[in-house]
Coordinates of all heavy atoms in Angstrom, one line a residue:
G1 N -33.0 -0.2 -12.0 CA -32.4 1.1 -11.7 C -30.9 0.9 -11.4 O -30.3 -0.1 -11.6
E2 N -30.4 1.9 -10.8 CA -29.0 2.0 -10.5 C -28.7 1.2 -9.3 O -29.4 1.3 -8.3 CB -28.6 3.4 -10.3 CG -27.1 3.7 -10.2 CD -26.8 5.2 -10.2 OE1 -27.5 5.9 -9.4 OE2 -25.9 5.6 -10.9
N3 N -27.6 0.4 -9.3 CA -27.2 -0.3 -8.0 C -26.7 0.6 -7.0 O -26.3 1.7 -7.2 CB -26.3 -1.5 -8.3 CG -24.9 -1.1 -8.8 OD1 -24.5 0.0 -8.4 ND2 -24.2 -1.9 -9.5
I4 N -26.8 0.1 -5.7 CA -26.5 1.0 -4.6 C -25.0 1.4 -4.6 O -24.7 2.5 -4.2 CB -26.9 0.3 -3.2 CG1 -26.7 1.3 -2.0 CG2 -26.0 -0.9 -3.0 CD1 -27.8 2.3 -2.0
E5 N -24.1 0.6 -5.0 CA -22.7 0.9 -5.1 C -22.4 2.1 -6.0 O -21.7 3.0 -5.7 CB -21.8 -0.3 -5.5 CG -21.8 -1.4 -4.5 CD -22.9 -2.4 -4.6 OE1 -23.8 -2.2 -5.5 OE2 -23.0 -3.3 -3.8
K6 N -23.0 2.0 -7.2 CA -22.9 3.1 -8.2 C -23.5 4.4 -7.7 O -23.0 5.5 -7.9 CB -23.4 2.7 -9.5 CG -22.9 3.5 -10.6 CD -23.2 2.9 -12.0 CE -22.7 3.7 -13.1 NZ -23.0 3.2 -14.4
L7 N -24.6 4.3 -7.0 CA -25.3 5.4 -6.4 C -24.5 6.1 -5.4 O -24.4 7.4 -5.3 CB -26.7 5.0 -5.8 CG -27.5 6.1 -5.1 CD1 -28.0 7.1 -6.1 CD2 -28.7 5.5 -4.4
I8 N -23.8 5.4 -4.5 CA -22.9 6.0 -3.5 C -21.8 6.7 -4.2 O -21.4 7.8 -3.9 CB -22.4 4.9 -2.6 CG1 -23.5 4.3 -1.7 CG2 -21.3 5.4 -1.7 CD1 -23.1 3.0 -1.0
G9 N -21.1 6.1 -5.2 CA -20.1 6.7 -5.9 C -20.5 8.0 -6.6 O -19.8 9.0 -6.6
R10 N -21.7 7.9 -7.3 CA -22.2 9.1 -8.0 C -22.5 10.2 -7.0 O -22.2 11.4 -7.3 CB -23.5 8.7 -8.7 CG -23.9 9.9 -9.6 CD -25.0 9.4 -10.6 NE -26.1 8.7 -10.0 CZ -27.2 9.3 -9.5 NH1 -27.3 10.6 -9.4 NH2 -28.2 8.5 -8.9
S11 N -23.0 9.9 -5.8 CA -23.2 10.9 -4.8 C -22.0 11.6 -4.3 O -21.9 12.9 -4.2 CB -23.9 10.3 -3.5 OG -25.1 9.7 -3.9
V12 N -20.9 10.9 -4.1 CA -19.6 11.5 -3.7 C -19.1 12.4 -4.8 O -18.7 13.6 -4.5 CB -18.5 10.4 -3.5 CG1 -17.2 11.0 -3.3 CG2 -18.9 9.6 -2.2
L13 N -19.2 12.0 -6.1 CA -18.7 12.8 -7.1 C -19.6 14.0 -7.4 O -19.1 15.1 -7.8 CB -18.5 12.0 -8.4 CG -17.4 10.9 -8.3 CD1 -17.3 10.1 -9.6 CD2 -16.1 11.4 -7.8
T14 N -20.9 13.9 -7.1 CA -21.8 15.0 -7.3 C -21.4 16.2 -6.3 O -21.4 17.3 -6.7 CB -23.2 14.6 -7.1 OG1 -23.6 13.6 -8.1 CG2 -24.2 15.7 -7.1
I15 N -21.1 15.8 -5.1 CA -20.7 16.8 -4.1 C -19.4 17.5 -4.6 O -19.3 18.7 -4.5 CB -20.4 16.1 -2.7 CG1 -21.7 15.5 -2.2 CG2 -19.8 17.1 -1.7 CD1 -22.7 16.4 -1.6
L16 N -18.4 16.7 -5.1 CA -17.2 17.4 -5.5 C -17.5 18.3 -6.7 O -16.9 19.4 -6.8 CB -16.2 16.3 -5.9 CG -15.6 15.5 -4.8 CD1 -14.7 14.4 -5.3 CD2 -14.9 16.3 -3.8
N17 N -18.3 17.9 -7.6 CA -18.6 18.7 -8.8 C -19.3 20.0 -8.4 O -19.1 21.1 -9.0 CB -19.5 18.0 -9.8 CG -18.7 17.0 -10.6 OD1 -17.6 17.2 -11.1 ND2 -19.3 15.8 -10.8
K18 N -20.1 19.9 -7.3 CA -20.9 21.0 -6.9 C -20.1 22.1 -6.1 O -20.2 23.3 -6.4 CB -22.1 20.6 -6.0 CG -23.0 21.7 -5.6 CD -24.2 21.1 -4.9 CE -25.1 22.3 -4.5 NZ -26.3 21.8 -3.8
Y19 N -19.2 21.6 -5.3 CA -18.5 22.5 -4.4 C -17.1 22.9 -4.7 O -16.5 23.8 -4.2 CB -18.6 22.0 -2.9 CG -20.0 22.0 -2.4 CD1 -20.7 20.9 -2.3 CD2 -20.6 23.2 -2.0 CE1 -22.0 20.9 -1.8 CE2 -21.9 23.3 -1.5 CZ -22.6 22.1 -1.4 OH -23.9 22.2 -0.9
L20 N -16.5 22.2 -5.7 CA -15.2 22.5 -6.1 C -15.3 23.2 -7.5 O -16.1 22.8 -8.3 CB -14.3 21.3 -6.2 CG -14.0 20.6 -4.9 CD1 -13.2 19.4 -5.2 CD2 -13.3 21.5 -3.9
D21 N -14.5 24.2 -7.7 CA -14.5 24.9 -9.0 C -13.6 24.2 -10.0 O -12.5 24.6 -10.3 CB -14.1 26.3 -8.8 CG -14.2 27.2 -10.1 OD1 -15.0 26.8 -11.0 OD2 -13.5 28.2 -10.2
L22 N -14.1 23.1 -10.5 CA -13.3 22.2 -11.4 C -13.6 22.7 -12.9 O -14.7 23.2 -13.2 CB -13.8 20.8 -11.3 CG -13.6 20.2 -9.9 CD1 -14.2 18.7 -9.9 CD2 -12.2 20.1 -9.5
K23 N -12.6 22.5 -13.7 CA -12.8 22.8 -15.1 C -13.1 21.5 -15.9 O -13.0 21.5 -17.1 CB -11.5 23.5 -15.7 CG -11.3 24.9 -15.1 CD -9.9 25.3 -15.2 CE -9.7 26.6 -14.5 NZ -9.8 26.5 -13.1
A24 N -13.6 20.5 -15.1 CA -14.0 19.2 -15.7 C -15.2 18.7 -14.9 O -15.3 19.1 -13.7 CB -12.8 18.2 -15.7
Q25 N -16.0 17.9 -15.5 CA -17.1 17.2 -14.9 C -16.7 15.8 -14.6 O -16.2 15.1 -15.4 CB -18.3 17.2 -15.8 CG -19.6 16.7 -15.2 CD -20.2 17.7 -14.2 OE1 -19.9 18.8 -14.2 NE2 -21.1 17.1 -13.4
I26 N -16.8 15.4 -13.3 CA -16.4 14.1 -12.9 C -17.6 13.2 -12.8 O -18.6 13.5 -12.1 CB -15.7 14.1 -11.5 CG1 -14.5 15.1 -11.6 CG2 -15.2 12.7 -11.1 CD1 -14.0 15.4 -10.2
V27 N -17.6 12.0 -13.4 CA -18.7 11.1 -13.4 C -18.2 9.7 -13.1 O -17.1 9.3 -13.4 CB -19.5 11.1 -14.7 CG1 -20.2 12.4 -14.9 CG2 -18.7 10.6 -15.8
I28 N -19.1 8.9 -12.4 CA -18.7 7.5 -12.1 C -19.1 6.6 -13.3 O -20.2 6.8 -13.8 CB -19.4 7.0 -10.8 CG1 -18.9 5.7 -10.3 CG2 -20.9 6.9 -11.0 CD1 -17.6 5.9 -9.5
D29 N -18.2 5.8 -13.7 CA -18.5 4.9 -14.8 C -18.9 3.5 -14.2 O -19.9 3.0 -14.7 CB -17.2 4.6 -15.7 CG -16.9 5.9 -16.5 OD1 -17.8 6.6 -16.9 OD2 -15.7 6.1 -16.7
D30 N -18.2 3.0 -13.2 CA -18.6 1.8 -12.6 C -17.9 1.5 -11.3 O -16.9 2.1 -11.0 CB -18.3 0.6 -13.6 CG -19.2 -0.6 -13.5 OD1 -20.0 -0.6 -12.5 OD2 -19.3 -1.4 -14.4
I31 N -18.5 0.7 -10.5 CA -17.9 0.2 -9.2 C -17.9 -1.3 -9.2 O -18.9 -1.9 -9.6 CB -18.8 0.7 -8.0 CG1 -19.0 2.2 -7.9 CG2 -18.3 0.1 -6.7 CD1 -17.8 2.9 -7.5
F32 N -16.7 -1.8 -9.0 CA -16.5 -3.3 -9.0 C -16.1 -3.7 -7.6 O -15.4 -3.0 -6.9 CB -15.3 -3.7 -9.9 CG -15.5 -3.3 -11.3 CD1 -15.0 -2.1 -11.8 CD2 -16.2 -4.0 -12.2 CE1 -15.2 -1.7 -13.1 CE2 -16.4 -3.7 -13.5 CZ -15.9 -2.4 -13.9
T33 N -16.6 -4.9 -7.1 CA -16.2 -5.5 -5.9 C -15.5 -6.8 -6.2 O -16.0 -7.6 -7.0 CB -17.4 -5.7 -5.0 OG1 -18.0 -4.5 -4.7 CG2 -16.9 -6.3 -3.6
I34 N -14.3 -7.0 -5.7 CA -13.5 -8.2 -5.9 C -13.4 -8.9 -4.6 O -13.0 -8.3 -3.6 CB -12.2 -7.9 -6.5 CG1 -12.3 -7.3 -7.9 CG2 -11.3 -9.2 -6.6 CD1 -11.0 -6.9 -8.5
K35 N -13.8 -10.2 -4.5 CA -13.8 -10.9 -3.3 C -12.7 -12.0 -3.4 O -12.8 -12.9 -4.1 CB -15.1 -11.6 -2.9 CG -16.2 -10.5 -2.7 CD -17.5 -11.1 -2.3 CE -18.5 -10.0 -2.2 NZ -19.7 -10.3 -1.6
G36 N -11.6 -11.8 -2.7 CA -10.5 -12.7 -2.6 C -10.2 -13.0 -1.2 O -11.2 -13.2 -0.4
K37 N -8.9 -13.0 -0.8 CA -8.6 -13.1 0.6 C -9.3 -12.0 1.4 O -9.8 -12.1 2.5 CB -7.1 -13.0 0.8 CG -6.4 -14.3 1.1 CD -5.0 -14.0 1.4 CE -4.2 -15.3 1.4 NZ -2.8 -15.1 1.6
E38 N -9.2 -10.8 0.8 CA -9.8 -9.6 1.4 C -10.7 -8.9 0.3 O -10.3 -9.0 -0.9 CB -8.8 -8.6 1.9 CG -7.9 -9.1 3.0 CD -6.9 -8.1 3.5 OE1 -7.4 -7.0 3.9 OE2 -5.7 -8.4 3.5
E39 N -11.8 -8.4 0.7 CA -12.7 -7.7 -0.3 C -12.1 -6.4 -0.7 O -11.6 -5.6 0.1 CB -14.1 -7.5 0.3 CG -15.1 -7.2 -0.7 CD -16.5 -7.2 0.0 OE1 -16.6 -7.3 1.2 OE2 -17.5 -7.1 -0.8
L40 N -12.2 -6.1 -2.0 CA -11.6 -4.9 -2.6 C -12.6 -4.2 -3.4 O -13.4 -4.8 -4.1 CB -10.4 -5.3 -3.5 CG -9.6 -4.2 -4.1 CD1 -8.8 -3.4 -3.1 CD2 -8.7 -4.8 -5.2
V41 N -12.7 -2.9 -3.3 CA -13.6 -2.1 -4.2 C -12.8 -1.3 -5.2 O -11.8 -0.7 -4.8 CB -14.4 -1.1 -3.3 CG1 -15.2 -0.1 -4.2 CG2 -15.4 -1.8 -2.4
I42 N -13.2 -1.3 -6.4 CA -12.5 -0.5 -7.5 C -13.5 0.5 -8.1 O -14.6 0.0 -8.5 CB -11.9 -1.4 -8.6 CG1 -10.9 -2.4 -7.9 CG2 -11.3 -0.6 -9.7 CD1 -10.5 -3.5 -8.9
A43 N -13.2 1.7 -8.2 CA -14.0 2.8 -8.8 C -13.4 3.2 -10.1 O -12.2 3.5 -10.1 CB -14.2 4.0 -7.8
Q44 N -14.2 3.2 -11.1 CA -13.8 3.7 -12.4 C -14.5 5.0 -12.7 O -15.7 5.1 -12.7 CB -14.2 2.6 -13.5 CG -13.7 3.0 -14.9 CD -14.1 2.0 -15.9 OE1 -14.8 1.0 -15.6 NE2 -13.7 2.2 -17.1
V45 N -13.7 6.1 -12.9 CA -14.2 7.4 -13.0 C -13.7 8.1 -14.3 O -12.6 7.8 -14.7 CB -13.7 8.2 -11.8 CG1 -14.1 9.7 -11.8 CG2 -14.2 7.6 -10.5
S46 N -14.6 8.9 -14.8 CA -14.2 9.7 -16.0 C -14.3 11.2 -15.7 O -15.2 11.6 -15.0 CB -15.0 9.4 -17.2 OG -14.8 8.1 -17.7
M47 N -13.3 12.0 -16.3 CA -13.4 13.4 -16.3 C -13.8 13.9 -17.7 O -13.1 13.5 -18.6 CB -12.1 14.0 -15.8 CG -11.7 13.6 -14.4 SD -10.1 14.3 -13.9 CE -10.6 15.9 -13.5
Y48 N -14.8 14.7 -17.8 CA -15.3 15.2 -19.0 C -15.0 16.7 -19.1 O -15.1 17.4 -18.1 CB -16.8 15.0 -19.2 CG -17.2 13.6 -19.5 CD1 -17.4 12.7 -18.4 CD2 -17.4 13.1 -20.8 CE1 -17.8 11.4 -18.7 CE2 -17.7 11.8 -21.0 CZ -17.9 11.0 -20.0 OH -18.3 9.7 -20.3
N49 N -14.8 17.2 -20.3 CA -14.7 18.6 -20.6 C -16.2 19.1 -20.7 O -16.9 18.6 -21.6 CB -14.0 18.9 -21.9 CG -13.9 20.3 -22.2 OD1 -14.7 21.1 -21.9 ND2 -12.8 20.7 -22.9
P50 N -16.7 20.0 -19.9 CA -18.1 20.4 -19.9 C -18.4 21.2 -21.2 O -19.6 21.2 -21.6 CB -18.3 21.2 -18.7 CG -16.9 21.6 -18.3 CD -16.0 20.6 -18.8
D51 N -17.4 21.8 -21.9 CA -17.7 22.6 -23.1 C -18.1 21.7 -24.3 O -19.0 22.0 -25.0 CB -16.5 23.5 -23.4 CG -16.3 24.5 -22.3 OD1 -17.2 24.9 -21.6 OD2 -15.1 24.8 -22.1
N52 N -17.3 20.6 -24.5 CA -17.6 19.8 -25.6 C -18.0 18.3 -25.3 O -18.2 17.5 -26.2 CB -16.3 19.7 -26.5 CG -15.1 19.2 -25.8 OD1 -15.2 18.6 -24.8 ND2 -14.0 19.5 -26.4
N53 N -18.1 18.0 -24.0 CA -18.6 16.7 -23.5 C -17.6 15.6 -23.9 O -18.1 14.5 -24.0 CB -20.0 16.5 -23.9 CG -20.8 15.7 -22.8 OD1 -20.4 15.8 -21.6 ND2 -21.8 15.0 -23.2
L54 N -16.4 15.9 -24.1 CA -15.4 14.8 -24.5 C -14.7 14.4 -23.2 O -14.4 15.2 -22.3 CB -14.4 15.4 -25.5 CG -15.0 15.7 -26.9 CD1 -13.9 16.3 -27.8 CD2 -15.6 14.5 -27.5
I55 N -14.3 13.1 -23.2 CA -13.6 12.5 -22.1 C -12.2 13.1 -22.1 O -11.5 13.1 -23.1 CB -13.5 11.0 -22.1 CG1 -14.9 10.4 -22.0 CG2 -12.6 10.4 -21.1 CD1 -14.9 8.9 -22.1
Q56 N -11.7 13.6 -20.9 CA -10.4 14.1 -20.8 C -9.5 13.0 -20.2 O -8.4 12.9 -20.6 CB -10.3 15.4 -19.8 CG -11.0 16.6 -20.4 CD -10.9 17.7 -19.5 OE1 -11.2 17.6 -18.3 NE2 -10.6 18.9 -20.0
K57 N -10.0 12.4 -19.2 CA -9.2 11.3 -18.5 C -10.1 10.2 -18.0 O -11.3 10.5 -17.6 CB -8.5 11.9 -17.2 CG -7.5 13.0 -17.5 CD -6.2 12.4 -17.8 CE -5.2 13.6 -18.0 NZ -4.1 13.2 -18.7
K58 N -9.6 9.0 -18.0 CA -10.3 7.9 -17.3 C -9.4 7.5 -16.1 O -8.2 7.3 -16.3 CB -10.4 6.7 -18.3 CG -11.5 6.9 -19.3 CD -11.8 5.6 -19.9 CE -13.2 5.5 -20.3 NZ -14.3 5.3 -19.3
L59 N -10.0 7.4 -15.0 CA -9.2 7.2 -13.7 C -9.8 6.0 -12.9 O -11.0 5.7 -13.0 CB -9.3 8.4 -12.9 CG -8.9 9.8 -13.6 CD1 -9.4 10.9 -12.7 CD2 -7.5 9.8 -13.8
V60 N -8.9 5.4 -12.1 CA -9.3 4.2 -11.3 C -8.7 4.4 -9.9 O -7.6 4.8 -9.8 CB -8.8 2.9 -12.0 CG1 -9.0 1.7 -11.1 CG2 -9.4 2.7 -13.3
G61 N -9.5 4.0 -8.9 CA -9.1 4.0 -7.5 C -9.6 2.8 -6.9 O -10.6 2.2 -7.2
S62 N -8.8 2.3 -5.9 CA -9.2 1.0 -5.2 C -8.9 1.1 -3.7 O -8.0 1.9 -3.3 CB -8.5 -0.2 -5.8 OG -7.1 0.0 -5.7
V63 N -9.7 0.4 -3.0 CA -9.5 0.4 -1.5 C -10.0 -1.0 -1.0 O -10.9 -1.6 -1.5 CB -10.4 1.6 -1.0 CG1 -11.3 1.2 0.2 CG2 -9.6 2.7 -0.6
Y64 N -9.4 -1.4 0.1 CA -9.9 -2.6 0.9 C -11.2 -2.2 1.6 O -11.3 -1.1 2.2 CB -8.9 -3.1 1.8 CG -7.8 -3.8 1.1 CD1 -6.5 -3.2 1.0 CD2 -7.9 -5.1 0.5 CE1 -5.5 -3.9 0.3 CE2 -6.9 -5.7 -0.2 CZ -5.7 -5.1 -0.3 OH -4.7 -5.7 -0.9
V65 N -12.2 -3.1 1.7 CA -13.5 -2.8 2.3 C -13.4 -2.6 3.8 O -14.0 -1.7 4.3 CB -14.5 -3.9 1.9 CG1 -15.8 -3.6 2.6 CG2 -14.7 -3.8 0.4
N66 N -12.8 -3.5 4.5 CA -12.7 -3.4 6.0 C -14.0 -3.2 6.7 O -14.2 -2.3 7.5 CB -11.7 -2.3 6.4 CG -10.3 -2.6 6.0 OD1 -9.9 -3.7 5.9 ND2 -9.5 -1.5 5.7
N67 N -15.0 -4.0 6.3 CA -16.3 -4.0 7.0 C -17.2 -2.8 6.7 O -18.3 -2.7 7.4 CB -16.2 -4.2 8.5 CG -15.5 -5.5 8.8 OD1 -15.8 -6.5 8.1 ND2 -14.7 -5.6 9.8
D68 N -16.9 -1.9 5.9 CA -17.7 -0.7 5.6 C -17.7 -0.4 4.1 O -16.9 0.3 3.6 CB -17.3 0.5 6.4 CG -18.3 1.6 6.3 OD1 -19.2 1.6 5.4 OD2 -18.2 2.5 7.2
I69 N -18.6 -1.1 3.4 CA -18.7 -1.0 1.9 C -18.9 0.5 1.4 O -18.3 0.9 0.5 CB -19.7 -2.0 1.3 CG1 -19.5 -2.0 -0.2 CG2 -21.1 -1.6 1.7 CD1 -18.4 -2.7 -0.8
S70 N -19.8 1.2 2.1 CA -20.1 2.6 1.7 C -18.8 3.5 1.8 O -18.5 4.3 0.9 CB -21.2 3.2 2.6 OG -22.4 2.4 2.4
L71 N -18.1 3.4 2.9 CA -16.9 4.1 3.1 C -15.8 3.7 2.1 O -15.2 4.6 1.6 CB -16.4 4.0 4.6 CG -15.1 4.7 4.9 CD1 -15.4 6.2 4.8 CD2 -14.7 4.4 6.3
A72 N -15.7 2.5 1.8 CA -14.8 2.0 0.9 C -15.1 2.5 -0.5 O -14.1 2.9 -1.3 CB -14.7 0.5 0.8
I73 N -16.3 2.6 -0.9 CA -16.7 3.1 -2.2 C -16.3 4.6 -2.3 O -15.7 5.1 -3.3 CB -18.2 2.9 -2.5 CG1 -18.5 1.4 -2.7 CG2 -18.6 3.7 -3.7 CD1 -19.9 1.1 -2.7
A74 N -16.6 5.4 -1.3 CA -16.3 6.8 -1.2 C -14.8 7.0 -1.3 O -14.3 7.8 -2.1 CB -16.9 7.4 0.0
K75 N -14.0 6.2 -0.6 CA -12.6 6.4 -0.6 C -12.0 6.0 -2.0 O -11.1 6.6 -2.5 CB -11.9 5.5 0.5 CG -12.1 6.1 1.9 CD -11.4 5.2 2.9 CE -11.5 5.8 4.3 NZ -10.8 4.9 5.3
A76 N -12.6 4.9 -2.6 CA -12.1 4.5 -3.9 C -12.3 5.6 -4.9 O -11.4 5.9 -5.8 CB -12.8 3.2 -4.3
C77 N -13.4 6.3 -4.9 CA -13.7 7.4 -5.8 C -12.7 8.5 -5.6 O -12.2 9.1 -6.5 CB -15.2 7.9 -5.6 SG -16.4 6.8 -6.1
L78 N -12.5 8.9 -4.3 CA -11.5 9.9 -4.0 C -10.1 9.5 -4.4 O -9.4 10.4 -4.9 CB -11.6 10.3 -2.5 CG -12.9 10.9 -2.0 CD1 -12.9 11.0 -0.5 CD2 -13.1 12.2 -2.7
K79 N -9.7 8.3 -4.2 CA -8.4 7.8 -4.6 C -8.3 7.9 -6.2 O -7.2 8.2 -6.7 CB -8.1 6.4 -4.1 CG -7.7 6.4 -2.7 CD -7.2 5.1 -2.3 CE -6.7 5.2 -0.9 NZ -5.8 4.0 -0.5
A80 N -9.3 7.7 -6.9 CA -9.3 7.7 -8.3 C -8.9 9.1 -8.8 O -8.2 9.3 -9.8 CB -10.6 7.3 -8.9
I81 N -9.4 10.2 -8.1 CA -9.3 11.5 -8.6 C -8.2 12.3 -7.9 O -7.9 13.4 -8.2 CB -10.6 12.3 -8.6 CG1 -11.1 12.4 -7.2 CG2 -11.6 11.6 -9.5 CD1 -12.3 13.4 -7.1
N82 N -7.6 11.8 -6.8 CA -6.8 12.6 -5.9 C -5.6 13.2 -6.6 O -5.3 14.4 -6.3 CB -6.3 11.8 -4.7 CG -5.3 10.7 -5.0 OD1 -5.1 10.4 -6.2 ND2 -4.8 10.1 -4.0
R83 N -5.0 12.6 -7.6 CA -3.8 13.2 -8.2 C -4.2 14.3 -9.3 O -3.5 15.2 -9.5 CB -2.9 12.2 -8.8 CG -2.2 11.4 -7.8 CD -1.3 10.3 -8.4 NE -1.1 9.2 -7.5 CZ -1.8 8.1 -7.3 NH1 -2.8 7.9 -8.1 NH2 -1.5 7.2 -6.4
K84 N -5.4 14.0 -9.9 CA -5.8 14.9 -11.0 C -6.6 16.1 -10.5 O -6.6 17.2 -11.2 CB -6.7 14.1 -12.0 CG -6.0 13.0 -12.7 CD -4.9 13.5 -13.6 CE -4.1 12.4 -14.2 NZ -2.9 12.8 -14.9
I85 N -7.2 16.0 -9.4 CA -8.1 17.1 -8.9 C -7.3 18.4 -8.6 O -7.7 19.5 -8.8 CB -8.9 16.6 -7.7 CG1 -10.1 17.5 -7.6 CG2 -8.2 16.6 -6.4 CD1 -11.2 17.0 -6.7
C86 N -6.0 18.2 -8.1 CA -5.2 19.4 -7.8 C -4.9 20.2 -9.0 O -4.8 21.4 -8.9 CB -3.9 18.9 -7.2 SG -4.1 18.0 -5.7
M87 N -4.9 19.7 -10.2 CA -4.7 20.4 -11.4 C -5.9 21.3 -11.8 O -5.7 22.3 -12.5 CB -4.4 19.5 -12.6 CG -3.2 18.6 -12.4 SD -3.1 17.3 -13.6 CE -3.2 18.1 -15.1
Y88 N -7.1 21.0 -11.2 CA -8.3 21.8 -11.6 C -8.8 22.7 -10.5 O -9.8 23.4 -10.7 CB -9.4 20.8 -12.0 CG -9.0 20.0 -13.2 CD1 -8.4 18.7 -13.1 CD2 -9.2 20.5 -14.5 CE1 -8.1 18.0 -14.2 CE2 -8.9 19.8 -15.6 CZ -8.3 18.5 -15.5 OH -8.0 17.8 -16.6
I89 N -8.1 22.7 -9.4 CA -8.6 23.6 -8.3 C -7.9 24.9 -8.4 O -6.7 25.0 -8.6 CB -8.4 22.9 -6.9 CG1 -9.2 21.7 -6.8 CG2 -8.7 23.9 -5.8 CD1 -9.1 20.9 -5.6

């Protein structure tokens, strides 16, 4: 099945798709965790045109974990779309 990191990311984006009147569908492509000096989460997100199901944009967001992986994943997803979402609201 789906790993927990991707499930958390998909849940965040599902809420945004449901409650915001976007002209695009936002989906999670992948969640990466990089462990170096500090742990980092990277969210890879795509925006699709719901009419023809073509990708409009591929976006990436990243955040330091700081002891809460779930919160870091949610923030990384939001950071990925924060600049583009204003164009669709």
